[in-house]
Amino acid sequence: MAELRTLVLVLGDQLDLDAAAFDGFDAAQDAVWMAEVADESTHIASGKPRITMFLAAMRHCALALQEQGRPLHYMRLEDPGNAGSLAAQLLADVARLKPSRLLMTAPGDWRVLQALKAAAQSCGLALEIREDRHFFSSVREFAEHARGRKSLRMEFFYREQRKKHQILMDPAQAGSPLGGQWNFDAENRAAFGAEGPGLLPTRSRFEPDEITREVIALVERRFAHHPGSLASFAWPLTRAHALQALQAFISERLPLFGRYQDAIWPGDPWLYHAHLSAALNLKLLNPREVAAAAVAAYEAGQAPLASVEGFVRQILGWREYVRGVYWTQMPGYLELNALGAEQELPAWYWTGATDMACLRDAITQTLTQGYANHIQRLMVTGGYALMLGVRPQAVHAWYLAMYVDAVEWVELPNTLGMSQYADGGLMGSKPYIATGKYIDRMSPHCKGCRYDPAQRTGDKACPYTTLYWDFLMHHETAMANNPRMALQVKNLARLSAEERATVQARADAIRRGEVGALPNALD
């Protein structure tokens, strides 16, 4: 066998065939290494849709590599001799293949990076890591932006990115944004009327092919007791399908994306959202082409500036920002718990067995689709866990397990920082808490729920409303010093000592599981 010069490591979220790791690849002396291992699905109990997403996308990528003539060493989950973890499998394959060097694009998970570095060192090889040029900015560039700042605000970073890449900038006035303003949040917070969203574009579905059907059968056998359903699995798993999904969003959903990006409607998870985050995070799409497609739609008069800016903000701003936070703050970021939250995550987060209509809908759809929109994640499932006082690491594990787009670099800051305020305000300027009236304003859930969002005590009191006031009482001193929370804390003065005690008693009952869980969830 010819001597192997380079073994190029490709992980399940690195399915870009033009990644930096392939620069200089020579099929005569280099080879690609990919491995499906149980540990990546069991170090947290990943939901079936997420497991299927990664494994099926990896197998489609392997086929594309072979079609390009790139030598490939691929370990399937069910193959004999599978070592069970990335590090153990790499050690075994290095001993067999004897490459002269190991090379990869920077991974998106601190844990995986440390494991592969240690494995390479133990077999006497250096692991060369190349920049992930999938992103607009590098980690070093973000670190420079963050240097000397006590808090990190996405808005400032986003404006820098807009200027640097000349995206949605006014050509007639240097340094100024199109439309004269940097964001259009005020125009992008509409709820659907009582009649609902009306006729919606059909979601881009990609029916499972033979490769994906094999993976579905494997996941049903191997991970039978993991949460979630695969009955409606239809995500894009190839570059071609991801491009189709992008085009469908730009032409069918983008025009109304901004206006209704915060709206919720029961039983309809898709609405006007993009559904592209999984394809982006697997590297089937490049954020530059995604942002460019949205800008082109605006320039062609096919989508309003408010919608396009709102979408570009998510791609160029928020997505880049959370990656920078992750890599500049790890590994300590994972352990943060600024509010001292220690409550266990309710068991019904894994089943949807709750009598709260908004949570039941969000969790049920998460289990069946591996998807929820950002308001469902931030204000429904996340907001409830925050006000309940759930240990943030438990919330993180749930989000990482349940969503098909969950890779730790993007999921962890969104959960610990934005959703749970566990970093004490490093990322977000305030805890995102609200009474049930917020959900009532953004959706019709409350009209079909047994709880009343206007009540904070009593049997009909909405748990969100009770927990909102309880949260303010628990963190009154700290929140009073937060300019964005001061008015909310001042409202506590309206509550008498007796009312406070009644709220706390109701909140304690919620935490004991006496409120919110369906009867069969208590058996």
Short mmCIF file of all heavy atoms in Angstrom, two decimals, residues 413-455:
data_model
loop_
_atom_site.label_atom_id
_atom_site.label_comp_id
_atom_site.label_asym_id
_atom_site.label_seq_id
_atom_site.Cartn_x
_atom_site.Cartn_y
_atom_site.Cartn_z
N PRO A 413 -24.04 29.43 23.53
CA PRO A 413 -24.24 30.85 23.87
C PRO A 413 -25.70 31.28 23.78
O PRO A 413 -26.17 32.09 24.59
CB PRO A 413 -23.38 31.59 22.84
CG PRO A 413 -22.39 30.58 22.36
CD PRO A 413 -23.12 29.27 22.39
N ASN A 414 -26.42 30.74 22.81
CA ASN A 414 -27.84 31.06 22.70
C ASN A 414 -28.60 30.62 23.94
O ASN A 414 -29.52 31.31 24.40
CB ASN A 414 -28.44 30.40 21.46
CG ASN A 414 -28.38 31.29 20.23
OD1 ASN A 414 -28.86 32.40 20.25
ND2 ASN A 414 -27.78 30.79 19.17
N THR A 415 -28.24 29.46 24.49
CA THR A 415 -28.96 28.93 25.64
C THR A 415 -28.48 29.56 26.94
O THR A 415 -29.26 30.18 27.67
CB THR A 415 -28.80 27.40 25.71
OG1 THR A 415 -29.27 26.82 24.49
CG2 THR A 415 -29.61 26.82 26.85
N LEU A 416 -27.19 29.39 27.26
CA LEU A 416 -26.70 29.90 28.54
C LEU A 416 -26.70 31.42 28.60
O LEU A 416 -27.02 32.01 29.64
CB LEU A 416 -25.28 29.37 28.81
CG LEU A 416 -25.21 28.21 29.80
CD1 LEU A 416 -25.82 26.96 29.20
CD2 LEU A 416 -23.78 27.95 30.24
N GLY A 417 -26.36 32.07 27.50
CA GLY A 417 -26.26 33.51 27.51
C GLY A 417 -27.58 34.20 27.24
O GLY A 417 -28.12 34.91 28.09
N MET A 418 -28.12 34.01 26.04
CA MET A 418 -29.32 34.73 25.63
C MET A 418 -30.56 34.25 26.37
O MET A 418 -31.35 35.04 26.89
CB MET A 418 -29.51 34.55 24.12
CG MET A 418 -30.66 35.33 23.53
SD MET A 418 -30.33 37.09 23.55
CE MET A 418 -31.67 37.69 22.54
N SER A 419 -30.75 32.93 26.43
CA SER A 419 -31.98 32.38 26.98
C SER A 419 -31.99 32.34 28.50
O SER A 419 -32.98 32.73 29.13
CB SER A 419 -32.21 30.97 26.42
OG SER A 419 -33.28 30.32 27.06
N GLN A 420 -30.89 31.89 29.12
CA GLN A 420 -30.90 31.65 30.57
C GLN A 420 -30.15 32.71 31.39
O GLN A 420 -30.12 32.61 32.61
CB GLN A 420 -30.33 30.26 30.86
CG GLN A 420 -31.11 29.14 30.20
CD GLN A 420 -32.58 29.13 30.61
OE1 GLN A 420 -32.89 28.95 31.78
NE2 GLN A 420 -33.47 29.33 29.64
N TYR A 421 -29.51 33.66 30.75
CA TYR A 421 -28.81 34.74 31.44
C TYR A 421 -27.78 34.20 32.43
O TYR A 421 -27.47 34.81 33.45
CB TYR A 421 -29.81 35.66 32.16
CG TYR A 421 -29.29 37.04 32.47
CD1 TYR A 421 -29.06 37.96 31.45
CD2 TYR A 421 -29.03 37.43 33.77
CE1 TYR A 421 -28.59 39.23 31.74
CE2 TYR A 421 -28.55 38.70 34.08
CZ TYR A 421 -28.32 39.60 33.05
OH TYR A 421 -27.86 40.87 33.32
N ALA A 422 -27.25 33.02 32.13
CA ALA A 422 -26.31 32.38 33.05
C ALA A 422 -24.95 33.05 33.04
O ALA A 422 -24.15 32.81 33.95
CB ALA A 422 -26.16 30.89 32.69
N ASP A 423 -24.67 33.86 32.01
CA ASP A 423 -23.39 34.57 31.97
C ASP A 423 -23.47 35.94 32.63
O ASP A 423 -22.52 36.73 32.58
CB ASP A 423 -22.87 34.69 30.54
CG ASP A 423 -23.77 35.51 29.62
OD1 ASP A 423 -24.73 36.13 30.12
OD2 ASP A 423 -23.51 35.53 28.40
N GLY A 424 -24.60 36.24 33.27
CA GLY A 424 -24.73 37.48 34.02
C GLY A 424 -24.76 38.75 33.19
O GLY A 424 -24.54 39.84 33.70
N GLY A 425 -25.02 38.62 31.90
CA GLY A 425 -25.13 39.80 31.05
C GLY A 425 -23.98 40.02 30.10
O GLY A 425 -23.90 41.05 29.46
N LEU A 426 -23.07 39.06 30.01
CA LEU A 426 -21.98 39.18 29.05
C LEU A 426 -22.51 39.32 27.63
O LEU A 426 -22.07 40.16 26.85
CB LEU A 426 -21.05 37.96 29.14
CG LEU A 426 -19.92 37.92 28.11
CD1 LEU A 426 -18.88 38.98 28.43
CD2 LEU A 426 -19.28 36.54 28.04
N MET A 427 -23.49 38.48 27.29
CA MET A 427 -24.04 38.46 25.93
C MET A 427 -25.27 39.35 25.76
O MET A 427 -25.39 40.09 24.79
CB MET A 427 -24.44 37.03 25.55
CG MET A 427 -23.47 36.31 24.67
SD MET A 427 -24.18 34.76 24.12
CE MET A 427 -25.42 35.34 23.00
N GLY A 428 -26.20 39.22 26.69
CA GLY A 428 -27.46 39.94 26.58
C GLY A 428 -27.59 40.97 27.68
O GLY A 428 -27.10 40.78 28.80
N SER A 429 -28.25 42.07 27.40
CA SER A 429 -28.31 43.17 28.35
C SER A 429 -29.36 42.98 29.44
O SER A 429 -29.43 43.76 30.38
CB SER A 429 -28.58 44.48 27.61
OG SER A 429 -29.79 44.40 26.87
N LYS A 430 -30.19 41.92 29.32
CA LYS A 430 -31.24 41.69 30.31
C LYS A 430 -31.70 40.24 30.24
O LYS A 430 -31.53 39.58 29.20
CB LYS A 430 -32.43 42.60 30.05
CG LYS A 430 -33.04 42.43 28.67
CD LYS A 430 -34.37 43.13 28.54
CE LYS A 430 -35.47 42.33 29.18
NZ LYS A 430 -36.82 42.89 28.94
N PRO A 431 -32.30 39.72 31.32
CA PRO A 431 -32.95 38.41 31.21
C PRO A 431 -34.24 38.54 30.39
O PRO A 431 -35.00 39.50 30.57
CB PRO A 431 -33.28 38.06 32.67
CG PRO A 431 -32.51 39.00 33.51
CD PRO A 431 -32.32 40.24 32.69
N TYR A 432 -34.47 37.58 29.52
CA TYR A 432 -35.67 37.63 28.68
C TYR A 432 -36.81 36.93 29.41
O TYR A 432 -37.07 35.75 29.20
CB TYR A 432 -35.40 37.04 27.31
CG TYR A 432 -34.71 38.03 26.41
CD1 TYR A 432 -33.33 38.18 26.44
CD2 TYR A 432 -35.45 38.88 25.58
CE1 TYR A 432 -32.69 39.12 25.65
CE2 TYR A 432 -34.82 39.83 24.79
CZ TYR A 432 -33.44 39.95 24.83
OH TYR A 432 -32.82 40.90 24.07
N ILE A 433 -37.47 37.71 30.28
CA ILE A 433 -38.60 37.18 31.04
C ILE A 433 -39.85 37.95 30.65
O ILE A 433 -39.79 39.12 30.24
CB ILE A 433 -38.37 37.30 32.56
CG1 ILE A 433 -38.17 38.75 32.97
CG2 ILE A 433 -37.15 36.45 32.97
CD1 ILE A 433 -38.17 38.99 34.48
N ALA A 434 -41.00 37.30 30.77
CA ALA A 434 -42.27 37.95 30.45
C ALA A 434 -43.40 37.16 31.09
O ALA A 434 -43.28 35.96 31.34
CB ALA A 434 -42.48 38.02 28.93
N THR A 435 -44.49 37.84 31.36
CA THR A 435 -45.68 37.16 31.84
C THR A 435 -46.35 36.43 30.68
O THR A 435 -45.93 36.57 29.51
CB THR A 435 -46.69 38.15 32.45
OG1 THR A 435 -47.22 38.96 31.38
CG2 THR A 435 -46.03 39.04 33.49
N GLY A 436 -47.41 35.73 30.97
CA GLY A 436 -48.16 35.04 29.92
C GLY A 436 -48.78 36.00 28.92
O GLY A 436 -49.17 35.58 27.82
N LYS A 437 -48.86 37.28 29.27
CA LYS A 437 -49.46 38.24 28.35
C LYS A 437 -48.63 38.40 27.07
O LYS A 437 -49.18 38.73 26.02
CB LYS A 437 -49.64 39.59 29.05
CG LYS A 437 -50.71 39.58 30.13
CD LYS A 437 -50.87 40.96 30.75
CE LYS A 437 -51.95 40.96 31.82
NZ LYS A 437 -52.12 42.29 32.45
N TYR A 438 -47.32 38.19 27.17
CA TYR A 438 -46.50 38.26 25.96
C TYR A 438 -46.92 37.17 24.98
O TYR A 438 -47.10 37.42 23.78
CB TYR A 438 -45.01 38.12 26.30
CG TYR A 438 -44.15 38.01 25.05
CD1 TYR A 438 -43.72 39.15 24.38
CD2 TYR A 438 -43.79 36.77 24.52
CE1 TYR A 438 -42.96 39.07 23.23
CE2 TYR A 438 -43.03 36.68 23.36
CZ TYR A 438 -42.62 37.82 22.72
OH TYR A 438 -41.88 37.72 21.57
N ILE A 439 -47.07 35.96 25.48
CA ILE A 439 -47.47 34.85 24.62
C ILE A 439 -48.89 35.08 24.10
O ILE A 439 -49.20 34.77 22.93
CB ILE A 439 -47.37 33.52 25.39
CG1 ILE A 439 -45.89 33.26 25.73
CG2 ILE A 439 -47.95 32.35 24.59
CD1 ILE A 439 -45.66 32.12 26.69
N ASP A 440 -49.74 35.66 24.92
CA ASP A 440 -51.10 35.98 24.48
C ASP A 440 -51.09 36.99 23.35
O ASP A 440 -51.92 36.94 22.43
CB ASP A 440 -51.90 36.52 25.68
CG ASP A 440 -53.38 36.62 25.40
OD1 ASP A 440 -53.89 35.82 24.60
OD2 ASP A 440 -54.04 37.51 25.99
N ARG A 441 -50.15 37.92 23.40
CA ARG A 441 -50.05 38.95 22.36
C ARG A 441 -49.51 38.38 21.05
O ARG A 441 -49.92 38.81 19.97
CB ARG A 441 -49.14 40.08 22.85
CG ARG A 441 -49.05 41.26 21.90
CD ARG A 441 -48.42 42.48 22.57
NE ARG A 441 -47.02 42.27 22.90
CZ ARG A 441 -46.54 42.12 24.12
NH1 ARG A 441 -47.37 42.12 25.16
NH2 ARG A 441 -45.25 41.95 24.35
N MET A 442 -48.59 37.41 21.13
CA MET A 442 -47.92 36.90 19.93
C MET A 442 -48.54 35.64 19.37
O MET A 442 -48.12 35.14 18.33
CB MET A 442 -46.45 36.63 20.24
CG MET A 442 -45.66 37.85 20.70
SD MET A 442 -45.82 39.29 19.61
CE MET A 442 -45.11 38.65 18.08
N SER A 443 -49.55 35.09 20.04
CA SER A 443 -50.17 33.84 19.58
C SER A 443 -51.57 33.70 20.17
O SER A 443 -51.91 34.41 21.13
CB SER A 443 -49.32 32.64 20.02
OG SER A 443 -49.60 32.31 21.38
N PRO A 444 -52.38 32.78 19.63
CA PRO A 444 -53.70 32.53 20.23
C PRO A 444 -53.68 31.40 21.25
O PRO A 444 -54.73 30.90 21.64
CB PRO A 444 -54.53 32.14 18.99
CG PRO A 444 -53.56 31.43 18.12
CD PRO A 444 -52.22 32.11 18.34
N HIS A 445 -52.49 30.97 21.69
CA HIS A 445 -52.40 29.84 22.60
C HIS A 445 -53.26 30.00 23.85
O HIS A 445 -53.92 29.06 24.30
CB HIS A 445 -50.95 29.62 23.02
CG HIS A 445 -50.13 28.84 22.05
ND1 HIS A 445 -50.46 27.56 21.64
CD2 HIS A 445 -48.97 29.14 21.40
CE1 HIS A 445 -49.56 27.12 20.79
NE2 HIS A 445 -48.64 28.06 20.62
N CYS A 446 -53.23 31.19 24.43
CA CYS A 446 -53.89 31.39 25.72
C CYS A 446 -55.40 31.21 25.64
O CYS A 446 -56.04 30.86 26.64
CB CYS A 446 -53.55 32.77 26.27
SG CYS A 446 -51.77 33.02 26.54
N LYS A 447 -55.97 31.44 24.46
CA LYS A 447 -57.42 31.31 24.32
C LYS A 447 -57.89 29.87 24.47
O LYS A 447 -59.04 29.62 24.81
CB LYS A 447 -57.85 31.88 22.97
CG LYS A 447 -57.61 33.37 22.83
CD LYS A 447 -57.95 33.89 21.45
CE LYS A 447 -57.74 35.39 21.37
NZ LYS A 447 -56.34 35.79 21.66
N GLY A 448 -57.00 28.91 24.21
CA GLY A 448 -57.38 27.52 24.36
C GLY A 448 -56.69 26.84 25.53
O GLY A 448 -56.63 25.61 25.59
N CYS A 449 -56.17 27.64 26.46
CA CYS A 449 -55.42 27.10 27.59
C CYS A 449 -56.24 27.21 28.87
O CYS A 449 -57.07 28.12 29.02
CB CYS A 449 -54.11 27.87 27.74
SG CYS A 449 -52.98 27.20 28.98
N ARG A 450 -56.00 26.33 29.80
CA ARG A 450 -56.74 26.35 31.06
C ARG A 450 -56.30 27.49 31.97
O ARG A 450 -56.96 27.81 32.96
CB ARG A 450 -56.59 25.03 31.80
CG ARG A 450 -55.17 24.67 32.19
CD ARG A 450 -55.14 23.58 33.24
NE ARG A 450 -55.71 24.05 34.50
CZ ARG A 450 -55.69 23.36 35.63
NH1 ARG A 450 -55.15 22.15 35.65
NH2 ARG A 450 -56.20 23.84 36.73
N TYR A 451 -55.14 28.10 31.65
CA TYR A 451 -54.60 29.14 32.51
C TYR A 451 -54.88 30.54 31.93
O TYR A 451 -54.96 30.71 30.71
CB TYR A 451 -53.09 28.96 32.68
CG TYR A 451 -52.73 27.64 33.32
CD1 TYR A 451 -52.14 26.62 32.57
CD2 TYR A 451 -52.99 27.40 34.67
CE1 TYR A 451 -51.81 25.40 33.14
CE2 TYR A 451 -52.66 26.18 35.26
CZ TYR A 451 -52.07 25.19 34.49
OH TYR A 451 -51.75 23.98 35.06
N ASP A 452 -54.98 31.51 32.83
CA ASP A 452 -55.28 32.90 32.46
C ASP A 452 -54.01 33.73 32.59
O ASP A 452 -53.47 33.88 33.68
CB ASP A 452 -56.36 33.45 33.39
CG ASP A 452 -56.78 34.88 33.04
OD1 ASP A 452 -56.10 35.51 32.20
OD2 ASP A 452 -57.77 35.36 33.61
N PRO A 453 -53.50 34.28 31.46
CA PRO A 453 -52.24 35.04 31.53
C PRO A 453 -52.33 36.31 32.35
O PRO A 453 -51.30 36.87 32.75
CB PRO A 453 -51.95 35.35 30.05
CG PRO A 453 -53.28 35.30 29.39
CD PRO A 453 -54.05 34.24 30.10
N ALA A 454 -53.54 36.78 32.63
CA ALA A 454 -53.69 38.01 33.41
C ALA A 454 -53.62 37.75 34.91
O ALA A 454 -53.53 38.70 35.70
CB ALA A 454 -55.02 38.68 33.07
N GLN A 455 -53.69 36.50 35.32
CA GLN A 455 -53.69 36.18 36.75
C GLN A 455 -52.33 35.64 37.19
O GLN A 455 -51.74 34.82 36.51
CB GLN A 455 -54.76 35.12 37.06
CG GLN A 455 -56.19 35.60 36.82
CD GLN A 455 -57.22 34.58 37.28
OE1 GLN A 455 -57.00 33.86 38.24
NE2 GLN A 455 -58.34 34.54 36.57
#
